[in-house]
Amino acid sequence: MRLYVPDEGWKRYADKLNDEDGKVEAFGAKRLVESAFLNALNATNLLVLTGSGSSLAAKNAAERPQPVGMGDLWAAVKAQVGDDAFGAICAMFPNAPVNENIEKLLTLCKLFLELNQTSDGPEATAVSKFVKDAEEAILTKVDFVDAATTLDAHATVIQRIGRRGIRKPRARFFTTNYDLCFEEAARRHRFTIIDGFSHALDQTYDRGNFDFDIVRREQGKDAPDYIENVFHLYKLHGSVDWRRIDGEIYRSKGPRGDPILIYPRSSKYQESFEAPYLDMVGALQASLREPDTALIISGFGFNDDHLSRPILAAMEANMSMRLLICDPAFLAAEDLALDDHVVDPELKTDNAYLKAFHRLAKGGDPRVHLLNGRFSDMAKALPDLVGETDRERHIARVRSLRDEAAP
């Protein structure tokens, strides 16, 4: 992992040591990174935004489903519909450079269906069936998390961010991922998630649930105490365990109802104006306008304009906002291979938003900190404001006792 330092370049995280005596020749960026994270963790309003890059930090055994990227979704859809049918759909758009990008292909299919709404010809039927099969393949592919999945990075991020001082507003996690990485990591470590769903037997979604909190009421005390280990979770593009049944949104992975997902295609912006996505995006936009706000971003590629534009606008309008971005897209592999303590090459990325944030940092904006690294690197670099709580230590002891007693 490297930190961008204006007027220097991308500095290595660790100190540079002399090969002969092991003494420090040049300080690394560790202290600066820790200071930036501490500043963010102590902000009044703390936000975290993640995307598919964070899911790649999850690990499953080789024979089990794996975390997926966009290339994996292309292969999964192709396997689902068959080579011949897949090739026939691609051949319908010879002048469009799809380049094995499933989002572009589904966008073209949706446009075709919009332009041929009244058609019941063989082409429209084939495209409609392809879209349905592709969505089913994507839903299956992103459902890879279970009790055996290794989620060390997610657990570390939740523990170091979710248990900050209870006198501050709850940390808010926003993710574009459909999978259950954060939910499963929270379950294992006994963190409580406020995600808009009720706590009834059939969990139903209501935006008003985001206004609730969890407190401890003890006898002899007039006022309740806020409990520790609670955070908000907003799934901006839906979730594998959300279903719309008879107009209500339920937490369910059963066959009934329609999945609540914004599938990869360019119409994501329009679809985000429907419930429950509008509630989630609206919460992000409102949070970005609050004073003394810090936003930590990792694993999010800034390819969704409906999310990226509000972030850039907030940096322009909210003087008290702090931004930390950890992404491996800033530097090319050949730049890192140089192994220099500080490198200052041209940016690897062509993303307009990442370039804009780089210009802010390069211009000396102290609110912006850029890290070249993965979600797992960021998890390791996060400082621990609060050690394990009494509740977490108790849970660990009980779990150990049960493990020893198990046959």
Side-chain angles (χ1 to χ4, degrees):
M1 186 169 68
R2 290 175 179 265
L3 171 71
Y4 179 74
V5 181
D7 299 325
E8 292 188 48
W10 295 88
K11 181 177 288 188
R12 189 190 297 276
Y13 180 75
D15 296 335
K16 182 180 180 181
L17 303 178
N18 187 290
D19 293 335
E20 296 181 359
D21 55 16
K23 291 184 178 180
V24 176
E25 285 188 5
F27 288 111
K30 180 178 180 180
R31 296 160 189 82
L32 295 174
V33 171
E34 187 174 80
S35 175
F37 276 125
L38 285 172
N39 196 10
L41 292 173
N42 283 303
T44 302
N45 302 292
L46 178 57
L47 318 177
V48 180
L49 173 62
T50 71
S52 59
S54 65
S55 294
L56 297 177
K59 303 296 180 185
N60 272 336
E63 68 277 5
R64 298 182 55 250
Q66 300 296 316
V68 295
M70 292 300 289
D72 300 308
L73 294 182
W74 173 277
V77 173
K78 188 175 183 179
Q80 174 88 357
V81 304
D83 290 348
D84 293 340
F86 193 86
I89 293 296
C90 293
M92 292 178 62
F93 312 104
N95 298 320
V98 177
N99 298 327
E100 297 192 1
N101 186 317
I102 193 62
E103 182 169 336
K104 289 183 179 180
L105 183 57
L106 286 176
T107 296
L108 292 170
C109 291
K110 279 294 185 180
L111 288 173
F112 179 89
L113 294 175
E114 288 290 329
L115 294 171
N116 296 273
Q117 292 184 21
T118 59
S119 173
D120 57 356
E123 284 190 336
T125 301
V127 173
S128 179
K129 182 178 185 305
F130 172 79
V131 171
K132 181 180 179 182
D133 291 342
E135 291 179 348
E136 289 180 357
I138 291 170
L139 179 62
T140 301
K141 196 68 175 176
V142 297
D143 189 12
F144 63 88
V145 177
D146 61 22
T149 304
T150 300
L151 297 167
D152 293 343
H154 291 82
T156 299
V157 171
I158 286 174
Q159 288 173 318
R160 295 184 179 178
I161 290 178
R163 67 186 179 200
R164 73 187 192 129
I166 59 175
R167 297 188 181 277
K168 293 181 181 292
R170 303 297 193 183
R172 281 167 277 188
F173 285 71
F174 297 86
T175 181
T176 59
N177 296 337
Y178 315 128
D179 58 59
L180 304 178
C181 288
F182 283 110
E183 291 93 327
E184 177 62 21
R187 182 196 67 79
R188 294 179 192 176
H189 296 276
R190 301 301 190 269
F191 275 69
T192 302
I193 296 176
I194 297 173
D195 61 356
F197 281 84
S198 66
H199 294 279
L201 181 59
D202 291 326
Q203 290 186 282
T204 56
Y205 174 82
D206 188 316
R207 71 188 69 180
N209 290 326
F210 281 112
D211 298 325
F212 299 161
D213 209 323
I214 300 176
V215 299
R216 180 188 298 108
R217 184 182 294 276
E218 298 180 4
Q219 291 184 352
K221 286 188 176 182
D222 294 331
D225 294 326
Y226 289 97
I227 69 168
E228 62 279 346
N229 297 2
V230 178
F231 65 91
H232 287 225
L233 179 63
Y234 299 83
K235 305 197 79 169
L236 298 162
H237 289 169
S239 181
V240 294
D241 63 342
W242 294 2
R243 295 291 184 277
R244 194 185 302 275
I245 304 173
D246 299 329
E248 292 273 13
I249 298 173
Y250 290 87
R251 191 190 306 283
S252 170
K253 294 175 73 172
R256 288 187 61 216
D258 299 318
I260 306 292
L261 295 180
I262 295 181
Y263 291 96
R265 49 180 173 256
S266 64
S267 59
K268 287 184 287 187
Y269 179 79
Q270 292 89 341
E271 293 179 45
S272 68
F273 282 92
E274 301 176 1
Y277 316 117
L278 181 60
D279 303 332
M280 310 287 174
V281 176
L284 175 62
Q285 294 179 349
S287 300
L288 292 171
R289 294 192 293 268
E290 294 176 356
D292 193 24
T293 292
L295 173 62
I296 299 174
I297 301 177
S298 185
F300 176 73
F302 287 92
N303 296 313
D304 298 319
D305 285 343
H306 63 292
L307 303 177
S308 305
R309 287 186 184 277
I311 295 171
L312 183 57
M315 291 303 299
E316 296 173 356
N318 189 347
M319 287 292 294
S320 64
M321 181 173 161
R322 282 150 282 175
L323 177 67
L324 291 93
I325 302 175
C326 183
D327 198 291
F330 288 113
L331 297 176
E334 54 267 25
D335 300 323
L336 296 174
L338 296 174
D339 205 33
D340 295 335
H341 190 62
V342 179
V343 296
D344 192 18
E346 292 293 324
L347 281 189
K348 167 191 172 184
T349 180
D350 292 325
N351 185 279
Y353 297 103
L354 290 178
K355 286 183 174 180
F357 296 129
H358 180 259
R359 285 196 297 272
L360 286 176
K362 190 174 183 178
D365 192 332
R367 302 173 303 156
V368 181
H369 292 84
L370 306 180
L371 295 163
N372 189 81
R374 299 161 298 178
F375 180 76
S376 55
D377 298 322
M378 186 200 75
K380 295 175 183 176
L382 275 171
D384 207 347
L385 286 180
V386 182
E388 282 187 318
T389 64
D390 291 339
R391 184 166 181 256
E392 288 179 279
R393 284 191 288 268
H394 173 70
I395 291 168
R397 289 192 294 266
V398 171
R399 183 180 290 124
S400 175
L401 184 64
R402 289 173 178 170
D403 290 343
E404 290 181 4

